[in-house]
Amino acid sequence: MLRYLPYLLVLALWIYAFVDCLNTPEDEVRALPKLAWVFIILLFGEVLVGPVAWLVAGRTRQPRERWVAPDDNPEFLKSLKPDDPRTD
């Protein structure tokens, strides 16, 4: 069963790169037109050249937004209503 694992990993990377390329907006694709990247991924997917090239050079890297806990988020704290001392 483990002998099929490398083939499944290659297939998974191939599918991931293909779907990621299709879902990426045209203005975020680098170096080549989007259609060219699709063909490169499909033609060279079995040897991992196409998917790896897409992941390294084809798409722009976007910095991820850091998640902030609600008690550290100033916008959330401003949205809270002040405590009414008369209700205690």
Side-chain angles (χ1 to χ4, degrees), residues 4-15:
Y4 298 117
L5 186 62
Y7 300 110
L8 291 175
L9 291 176
V10 169
L11 181 66
L13 181 64
W14 194 12
I15 292 171

Side-chain angles (χ1 to χ4, degrees), residues 21 24-41 54 58:
C21 182
T24 302
E26 186 73 38
D27 58 334
E28 294 181 12
V29 177
R30 293 190 302 175
L32 295 172
K34 186 174 178 178
L35 188 61
W37 279 114
V38 169
F39 283 123
I40 288 172
I41 292 169
W54 165 253

Side-chain angles (χ1 to χ4, degrees), residues 22-86:
L22 290 178
N23 288 333
T24 302
E26 186 73 38
D27 58 334
E28 294 181 12
V29 177
R30 293 190 302 175
L32 295 172
K34 186 174 178 178
L35 188 61
W37 279 114
V38 169
F39 283 123
I40 288 172
I41 292 169
L42 290 177
L43 292 176
F44 300 109
E46 293 181 16
V47 291
L48 288 180
V49 173
V52 171
W54 165 253
L55 294 174
V56 171
R59 64 180 178 157
T60 58
R61 301 193 190 279
Q62 299 174 353
R64 295 186 182 197
E65 292 183 22
R66 210 173 132 206
W67 184 79
V68 179
D71 57 341
D72 293 335
N73 188 345
E75 294 175 14
F76 175 76
L77 294 174
K78 289 177 188 175
S79 70
L80 294 176
K81 296 178 184 174
D83 290 336
D84 190 3
R86 293 178 282 171

